[in-house]
Amino acid sequence: MIKRLTNGTLKYGSLLLYVLVSLYPLVWLLFYSFKDNEEIFSTNVFGIPKEWRVENYVNAFQSFDLIMYFKNSFIVSIGTVALTVLLGLMFSYASARMKWGLSNAARIYMTAGMFIPMQIILIPLLMIVRSMHLQNSYLAVIVPYAAFQLSFACIIFYAFFRSLPKEIEESAAIDGANVYRTFFSIMVPLVVPAIASVSIFVFLFAWNEFLVALVMISDNALKTLPLGLLYFQTQFSSDWGAMGAVMVLSTVPTILVYLLFSEQVENALTVSSAVKG
């Protein structure tokens, strides 16, 4: 009894400590957003605000065009997710379920994209975007983002498609369904957990990406939230509390996306473990 109690205390105590360590940065950022400069840098760096300064959020909205930057980031992130998922599903289905020449070579080529750092091809990418007259547009970042995330998406989708029994497609063919009907109506719904997992990771990447957006977009009306935060830091660096308020608001969409799709991610991990087992 004592041994079981000791083991339980150690296990749940360790988990509780891990939760506290993981959540503290978010709690600290929330406290940061309600402090003034003096508390942030000297008198109360890690503690609870002595006075909850809601005006920091008011100043953030007044000094920072938060709505515009949020809109741009949402358009870019949703567009990137949609393009990545669509192309990844089609390629993965073709390489996992169909027999055609060089399918393995094409899959290896697609996977190799994960090992190419973004910084190496940034200048050629800029030249391509300019030659296609896409600079200073949403597509200038959506297309490169989707290209960078396509390898990751294809790996996940390929594993899921390979785990499905072939009898599903055979039954669909007997019922008269063509390849497009089979793909969109039967196969895609079966990999919804994988779609949710990929969507979360791609959304987080597109929402937080900075370097490509900095190079591709110079029009202030099209800048995403990370670029806007840089502008806010350079222009209003004296109001650190308002900057903290902007950072808190910028993290809300990513937390909501994860909470909405967390169950699907757990299902994807469960299915993946079962397939490996």
Side-chain angles (χ1 to χ4, degrees):
M1 182 67 182
I2 297 177
K3 183 179 180 180
R4 183 183 303 175
L5 182 62
T6 303
N7 291 336
T9 302
L10 290 175
K11 180 174 68 174
Y12 291 108
S14 301
L15 291 175
L16 179 61
L17 179 62
Y18 176 78
V19 170
L20 293 176
V21 171
S22 301
L23 291 180
Y24 179 74
L26 293 176
V27 175
W28 180 86
L29 179 60
L30 182 64
F31 290 163
Y32 176 101
S33 66
F34 287 101
K35 298 177 182 179
D36 59 11
N37 291 354
E38 183 179 356
E39 284 190 88
I40 290 172
F41 290 105
S42 58
T43 61
N44 188 19
V45 178
F46 299 105
I48 299 175
K50 298 176 181 177
E51 179 182 351
W52 296 81
R53 302 179 183 275
V54 183
E55 61 268 20
N56 287 343
Y57 286 83
V58 177
N59 294 337
F61 276 97
Q62 291 178 348
S63 305
F64 187 70
D65 198 346
L66 197 62
I67 303 300
M68 181 188 71
Y69 294 125
F70 260 85
K71 180 198 71 173
N72 293 336
S73 288
F74 268 115
I75 292 174
V76 169
S77 300
I78 298 300
T80 303
V81 169
L83 185 60
T84 304
V85 169
L86 179 62
L87 296 179
L89 283 172
M90 291 192 295
F91 176 84
S92 301
Y93 179 75
S95 60
R97 312 294 293 190
M98 298 180 179
K99 294 182 180 180
W100 47 282
L102 301 178
S103 61
N104 288 331
R107 180 172 57 86
I108 294 173
Y109 176 78
M110 181 65 69
T111 305
M114 293 189 64
F115 304 99
I116 300 176
M118 185 186 303
Q119 295 82 356
I120 292 180
I121 62 173
L122 195 57
I123 294 177
L125 181 63
L126 177 60
M127 297 174 63
I128 293 174
V129 169
R130 283 183 174 177
S131 65
M132 298 177 65
H133 305 287
L134 294 178
Q135 196 174 16
N136 278 327
S137 69
Y138 292 126
L139 289 177
V141 289
I142 290 176
V143 174
Y145 287 174
F148 286 122
Q149 294 298 301
L150 198 55
S151 298
F152 165 75
C154 288
I155 291 175
I156 302 299
F157 292 147
Y158 179 85
F160 270 77
F161 280 127
R162 291 286 293 179
S163 68
L164 299 177
K166 293 183 179 181
E167 289 76 11
I168 296 176
E169 292 154 301
E170 294 174 355
S171 300
I174 293 174
D175 292 337
N178 58 24
V179 64
Y180 300 104
R181 181 67 181 274
T182 302
F183 174 69
F184 287 106
S185 299
I186 299 175
M187 303 302 288
V188 170
L190 293 176
V191 295
V192 167
I195 294 174
S197 301
V198 170
S199 298
I200 287 178
F201 286 106
V202 173
F203 182 89
L204 294 178
F205 168 81
W207 185 267
N208 295 313
E209 204 284 328
F210 174 79
L211 183 59
V212 173
L214 178 65
V215 174
M216 299 297 176
I217 298 178
S218 58
D219 186 356
N220 189 61
L222 297 175
K223 288 182 177 179
T224 56
L225 192 57
L227 296 182
L229 287 171
L230 176 66
Y231 172 80
F232 187 87
Q233 181 178 2
T234 56
Q235 296 295 321
F236 307 101
S237 57
S238 59
D239 193 353
W240 294 97
M243 186 185 299
V246 172
M247 289 189 288
V248 168
L249 294 173
S250 68
T251 62
V252 171
T254 58
I255 295 175
L256 291 178
V257 167
Y258 181 78
L259 292 177
L260 289 174
F261 293 100
S262 60
E263 184 177 353
Q264 295 293 340
V265 174
E266 292 176 4
N267 293 337
L269 294 176
T270 302
V271 173
S272 177
S273 299
V275 170
K276 291 179 181 178

